[in-house]
Amino acid sequence: MEPDIVGMRLAGDVAGLSEVMRSGPSPYTVWAVDLLGDIGGRAAADALFDCVDRPDAYPRWLHLHALSALAALRDRRALPVILGQVRRGAPGEGARAIRMYEDLGAIGGPEAVRELVHRLGDPRPPRVVVEAVARLRPPEAVPVLMAALWGLLPGDELHAVEALGAMRDPRTGPALLFLVHSKGTSPRLRRAAVLALAEIPEDSWPPPAGLSPEVMLRRALRDPDAETARPAAALLARTSNGRDQLRAHLMDTVPGRTAAYRAPDCSAVTVCALIQERPELFGPARDYRDVPTLIELLGKESAAPVRRAAAGALGAIGGEKGAAALLAALGDARIGDAVARALSVLPAPPVWELLAALGDGSPGARDRRRGAAVALGLLECAEAAPLLLAALDAENTRDVRSAAADALGALRHAPAADRLAALAGDGEEPGTLRARAVHALGLIGARESLPVLLAAARDPLEPVRVQAAQALGRFPGAEAADALGELAAGDASRDVARGAVRALVLIGVQGAHVLASMAEPSRFRRDVGHELVAALARCPGAAAVAALAGLSVSPEVEDMHLPAAEALADRRSPDCVAPLAALLTAERSTYLRDPALRGLAALDTEEADAHVIAYCRTNGLATGEARAALRTVADRRR
């Protein structure tokens, strides 16, 4: 007769599980070990140690499994046994070796650390040893780990570098700086070394090195990969000398520098990004050169990415000279949006100057008017509304009118709804302009705009329909829900359909019912299947649960089974008990049982717990998810 180990786990019956370990049929002996490890406490640890101490009294090899369970409990009685096996070479090179080194890392303590550090001295130490040392972070491992790094080059060095970063020890700095500085370092390794250096606490920076860290980080700062250059810039910003190095790179990208002294443009972009993140470290109060350098980089001789980055940095620093330079660049079509954003974030935005630029109707002021409209919209400046309405007039260029529509939408300026509606419905106007007007109407949300948006949802132009779908999500009601349902189910554009599915979530109950109807096999649209599941997951109510349940088992949509099951499990709702329980017995969907168990265990209801217990009794505890679900139920019953 098979033992009721599930009942024993629920009752915390250590003696019963110990008996199963000694004489129970396989695989119950292994499961009993796992359950004793879950129970924990002195009695369970004693039972596990008895298996380790008297292996001949238990089934073959079970003591190795008990040894790992004991290590997970951090019971130090396991340590001499593990150390003895490791020193005799018993683990070999396979999975058992990995498990033993992991066990040493789990127990910790001086003896375990000494053995792991000793193993770091092997010609090519196993990765599991390096990772165990990184978790324990013993100071004495730093020199050996650095020595191991050179033995792992090339090929296996990345995890050693990551381990050095985990140590957060300034003694790792010289080796890591060497890797960053060396020409022979691969891009991936240089990035890993910079990220490891970033783990060194700021109060221990700079680390001791043969060359100054400012010199050794130069190559990383000039790297075109932002994931390498950004952390290098942040490291340089830690010290006064490092910030001077950043300033030097910024000045060395100014147009006119001779080739021998010129820094790559990507350096300027990196430094400007840092200035935006840490403006308190730069500007006139810190160094008189910062603003003049950025103004030079803003000039037309610089590359467009550099000019946009310089605009962002000037916006972060602020000041009269920076604001004046930004205003002067407002009419540059290539960087106008970046300049407008920078003006909008200035500590003291030049609102009156922007209003004057917006009202300037002269022929040469078109680009300045557009930039001013963008900036005033970002500032949500109500005083700009009359000028923005005037900018919608047909005698203005399309760019100016589009920017004005965007700004009016950002202002949520209700009096503009009629003008925007007329613009959106005028088939003679450019499609992009009409799409912007539709977007603005959605932001304003005036009820009288709904007929215009419903018409826009049927517009022949895709950009207009995309914006209409997004806008209709802000109009709860059956009309908007039905229109979005038609777009989601039948529009030829996937972008329009996806936008409609996302918008239906915002509609409320009616939107949920439309989404649920789309889960039916006859209406299901495969190219928006994942968006549909995500939308149903956000919808409350029984209709959404039923739709997800259908998608999790329907043979017509097999690729949706797992996402739908995961969505049901994550709802944490009692009405999900029945569909999750059904997944536990579905014949062709065994891979759905793990999320179903997880979802049922999280519900904390008697019905859900009963399904978990019944499943574990019937199917056993072969999977980690089954054991975890039973653990959750048992822990609540303590």
Side-chain angles (χ1 to χ4, degrees):
M1 181 177 177
E2 294 177 344
D4 182 15
I5 61 171
V6 173
M8 295 175 190
R9 172 66 180 93
L10 293 170
D13 183 0
V14 172
L17 290 169
S18 301
E19 180 62 29
V20 174
M21 272 204 307
R22 285 189 292 272
S23 56
S26 179
Y28 285 85
T29 54
V30 173
W31 295 344
V33 169
D34 292 329
L35 295 181
L36 284 169
D38 286 345
I39 290 173
R42 185 67 187 184
D46 287 345
L48 291 168
F49 182 69
D50 186 66
C51 179
V52 171
D53 195 41
R54 300 189 303 122
D56 292 341
Y58 291 83
R60 184 177 173 85
W61 303 119
L62 189 64
H63 70 286
L64 294 176
H65 197 58
L67 192 62
S68 290
L70 206 59
L73 294 174
R74 305 193 69 179
D75 191 307
R76 303 195 66 77
R77 289 177 292 178
L79 188 57
V81 182
I82 298 173
L83 289 174
Q85 294 191 10
V86 168
R87 289 165 182 167
R88 290 194 303 271
E93 299 295 332
R96 183 59 204 158
I98 292 174
R99 187 68 178 267
M100 279 198 173
Y101 290 128
E102 288 175 343
D103 292 344
L104 285 176
I107 296 175
E111 301 97 331
V113 166
R114 277 197 294 272
E115 182 60 33
L116 289 168
V117 170
H118 174 70
R119 291 295 167 186
L120 282 178
D122 291 349
R124 293 188 76 81
R127 178 170 183 167
V128 63
V129 172
V130 176
E131 291 172 344
V133 168
R135 283 194 299 273
L136 294 171
R137 294 172 53 191
E140 61 268 33
V142 171
V144 188
L145 188 56
M146 287 194 293
L149 171 63
W150 311 120
L152 292 167
L153 288 167
D156 296 327
E157 70 279 1
L158 276 177
H159 61 274
V161 168
E162 291 165 358
L164 286 172
M167 303 299 287
R168 307 188 76 238
D169 192 309
R171 291 176 296 166
T172 64
L176 294 171
L177 284 168
F178 173 81
L179 290 175
V180 173
H181 179 63
S182 172
K183 288 183 179 179
T185 302
S186 70
R188 288 182 65 213
L189 183 57
R190 180 173 289 111
R191 183 189 314 127
V194 172
L195 293 173
L197 283 168
E199 295 295 325
I200 296 176
E202 193 162 348
D203 57 8
S204 298
W205 188 267
L211 293 175
S212 70
E214 290 78 19
V215 172
M216 300 184 82
L217 285 168
R218 184 178 299 163
R219 195 180 304 278
L221 182 63
R222 295 180 172 218
D223 198 303
D225 180 4
E227 292 185 21
T228 300
R230 292 283 185 90
L235 287 169
L236 287 165
R238 289 181 173 186
T239 65
S240 176
N241 287 340
R243 292 191 290 275
D244 284 341
Q245 184 72 230
L246 294 171
R247 291 185 174 96
H249 271 73
L250 204 60
M251 289 187 285
D252 285 345
T253 54
V254 170
R257 292 281 183 185
T258 57
Y261 298 99
R262 185 165 177 78
D265 287 344
C266 60
S267 295
V269 174
T270 298
V271 177
C272 287
L274 178 71
I275 293 173
Q276 286 187 260
E277 294 172 9
R278 303 288 306 278
E280 73 279 4
L281 299 178
F282 300 89
R286 297 289 182 176
D287 193 293
Y288 71 92
R289 298 170 293 181
D290 290 346
V291 171
T293 303
L294 290 170
I295 290 174
E296 283 194 74
L297 291 173
L298 190 64
K300 293 185 177 181
E301 294 80 8
S302 298
V306 174
R307 299 177 69 200
R308 285 191 283 267
L314 283 170
I317 291 175
E320 292 184 8
K321 291 183 178 179
L326 290 169
L327 281 170
L330 186 61
D332 193 315
R334 299 186 68 191
I335 62 170
D337 284 352
V339 170
R341 285 193 296 271
L343 286 165
S344 71
V345 300
L346 284 169
V351 173
W352 297 113
E353 290 85 345
L354 290 170
L355 289 170
L358 180 59
D360 186 354
S362 60
R366 182 193 72 181
D367 290 331
R368 284 179 57 80
R369 294 190 73 195
R370 181 190 177 282
V374 173
L376 290 165
L378 292 170
L379 287 167
E380 297 184 8
C381 177
E383 293 87 348
L387 293 171
L388 291 169
L389 280 168
L392 291 176
D393 291 343
E395 62 266 17
N396 292 301
T397 64
R398 181 179 60 185
D399 289 345
V400 173
R401 299 171 77 194
S402 295
D406 288 344
L408 287 165
L411 292 175
R412 275 51 170 192
H413 188 61
D418 289 343
R419 292 285 304 280
L420 290 167
L423 184 58
D426 189 346
E428 299 299 320
E429 294 285 0
T432 54
L433 176 57
R434 293 171 54 223
R436 305 287 273 275
V438 169
H439 176 71
L441 286 171
L443 293 175
I444 293 170
R447 291 299 304 176
E448 58 270 20
S449 302
L450 180 58
V452 177
L453 297 177
L454 293 171
R458 300 186 295 273
D459 197 275
L461 295 177
E462 179 181 338
V464 176
R465 299 198 307 279
V466 167
Q467 295 301 330
Q470 179 179 318
L472 284 169
R474 299 185 176 92
F475 289 80
E479 286 185 284
D482 291 343
L484 286 169
E486 291 178 14
L487 290 176
D491 198 279
S493 166
R494 183 190 179 195
D495 289 338
V496 174
R498 293 171 69 182
V501 169
R502 289 192 290 266
L504 279 164
V505 179
L506 308 175
I507 294 289
V509 176
Q510 288 129 327
H513 283 289
V514 172
L515 288 168
S517 71
M518 289 185 61
E520 298 171 2
S522 60
R523 296 196 69 200
F524 181 77
R525 181 169 173 168
R526 190 168 298 278
D527 61 350
V528 296
H530 288 281
E531 287 77 13
L532 177 60
V533 169
L536 287 167
R538 294 173 56 193
C539 289
V545 172
L548 288 169
L551 287 172
S552 67
V553 296
S554 174
E556 290 90 350
V557 291
E558 191 170 347
D559 54 336
M560 292 294 106
H561 286 183
L562 185 57
E566 294 279 4
L568 283 170
D570 291 339
R571 286 179 75 88
R572 305 291 194 266
S573 174
D575 56 1
C576 293
V577 171
L580 288 172
L583 294 178
L584 294 180
T585 57
E587 293 183 3
R588 296 177 57 192
S589 303
T590 56
Y591 62 98
L592 302 181
R593 292 174 186 174
D594 283 353
L597 283 168
R598 172 170 52 81
L600 286 166
L603 286 175
D604 192 11
T605 68
E606 289 188 12
E607 183 185 4
D609 288 355
H611 285 296
V612 171
I613 294 167
Y615 175 86
C616 292
R617 279 185 167 137
T618 304
N619 297 277
L621 299 166
T623 68
E625 200 69 57
R627 293 194 298 272
L630 183 60
R631 183 188 314 125
T632 300
V633 174
D635 288 347
R636 280 201 298 263
R637 296 188 174 195
R638 281 185 175 180

